[in-house]
Amino acid sequence: MSNGLRLVLLGKQGAGKGTQAVLVAEHCGIPHLSTGEVFRAQAGLGTAFGLEAKRYMDGGDLVPDDIVIGVIEECLAPGGMLADGFVLDGFPRTLRQAEELDRVLGRRSLDAAVLIDVPHAVVQNRLAGRRVCRGCQRVYHVDLPPERPWICDTCGGDVVQRDDDTDEAIGRRLEIYERDTAPIIEMYRLSGRLLTVDGVGSSEEIFGRIVAAIEAATGVSC
Ligand code: AMP
């Protein structure tokens, strides 16, 4: 039974939002949604929507707000997959997206925005060496590969480098993060919803910090 928590995970690309979103969702019994995964899946299927998004993603640019907000709004609508609680990964990424999220949620506001705080040099290294399973999205690093070369230990899928994990696109995404996404942190801080956790350590350690912060702030034990 879902406890209805409404959470977003914030942090630079490579901070570990994707990994933690899966763990938090499972632990708290809520669905998680990664807008980046939605776009990659649609691009893989070759839909017009996905191919349009891919044009922005491959260059490291943000997909326009109207497109992204449309996706989230549909999922949050009554009966939608996020209607009874959620953890969002990769959304919001601009002030406008954050404001629209508050508008759509209305009085049933967000419970917490969790910032996974990681220094720039660490995320640059993580992104450059990151490899991702095409099947289940499990994340590896060149220094910690799957047992059989580039076959996923979990699902047997191909483990590949993302099209937007090139040096050029990584630099561009981190620049855009500072310009467009970092101001959201201030917005959540001012409205008392920001929880900051240290994002350096093993994924188990970081997960423990996130759950402790959420439970302390919301009083919900999940
Ligand atoms: P991610 O998997 O979260 O790193 O997202 C991969 C790419 O998808 C980003 O670099 C953007 O091009 C696009 N994207 C994902 N989420 C958003 C969003 N909320 N707003 C705009 N673009 C997004």
Side-chain angles (χ1 to χ4, degrees):
M1 177 72 188
S2 161
N3 52 31
L5 278 175
R6 298 183 191 93
L7 307 168
V8 302
L9 295 187
L10 302 172
K12 298 185 184 85
Q13 291 81 355
K17 298 187 297 295
T19 304
Q20 296 300 330
V22 173
L23 297 174
V24 170
E26 195 175 302
H27 184 78
C28 297
I30 45 181
H32 85 275
L33 184 81
S34 152
T35 40
E37 259 174 41
V38 171
F39 295 139
R40 278 188 292 280
Q42 289 291 318
L45 291 170
T47 64
F49 165 78
L51 295 177
E52 157 107 19
K54 188 170 163 54
R55 285 195 311 156
Y56 297 97
M57 291 167 75
D58 284 355
D61 288 311
L62 291 183
V63 174
D65 280 343
D66 287 334
I67 298 181
V68 195
I69 291 165
V71 170
I72 291 288
E73 213 164 352
E74 202 175 307
C75 297
L76 288 170
M81 71 169 282
L82 305 179
D84 298 319
F86 53 78
V87 52
L88 298 180
D89 152 25
F91 183 95
R93 256 183 162 100
T94 64
L95 268 182
R96 176 153 171 245
Q97 292 178 14
E99 285 161 4
E100 285 294 308
L101 181 61
D102 277 347
R103 184 186 62 74
V104 174
L105 291 176
R107 284 189 301 130
R108 299 163 58 240
S109 168
L110 269 192
D111 292 298
V114 183
L115 171 65
I116 306 177
D117 194 25
V118 179
H120 196 88
V122 174
V123 292
Q124 217 151 14
N125 171 276
R126 282 190 193 165
L127 291 171
R130 176 163 73 177
R131 301 292 182 271
V132 182
C133 172
R134 263 198 235 279
C136 68
Q137 313 294 322
R138 179 168 166 186
V139 177
Y140 297 87
H141 190 274
V142 284
D143 296 338
L144 215 64
E147 270 173 37
R148 280 179 297 156
W150 311 114
I151 304 291
C152 180
D153 294 338
T154 304
C155 77
D158 287 337
V159 176
V160 298
Q161 183 165 37
R162 274 172 44 168
D163 291 341
D164 60 350
D165 277 345
T166 59
D167 282 348
E168 201 180 324
I170 289 170
R172 174 119 187 92
R173 281 151 67 211
L174 290 173
E175 246 175 65
I176 290 176
Y177 176 84
E178 292 304 333
R179 191 190 68 200
D180 293 339
T181 308
I184 297 176
I185 297 168
E186 200 47 29
M187 169 183 158
Y188 286 130
R189 193 194 314 278
L190 289 172
S191 57
R193 292 176 290 177
L194 185 72
L195 306 176
T196 303
V197 300
D198 178 1
V200 179
S202 69
S203 61
E204 292 79 12
E205 284 166 341
I206 299 162
F207 172 61
R209 290 174 202 148
I210 292 175
V211 170
I214 292 170
E215 292 188 348
T218 63
V220 174
S221 144
C222 56

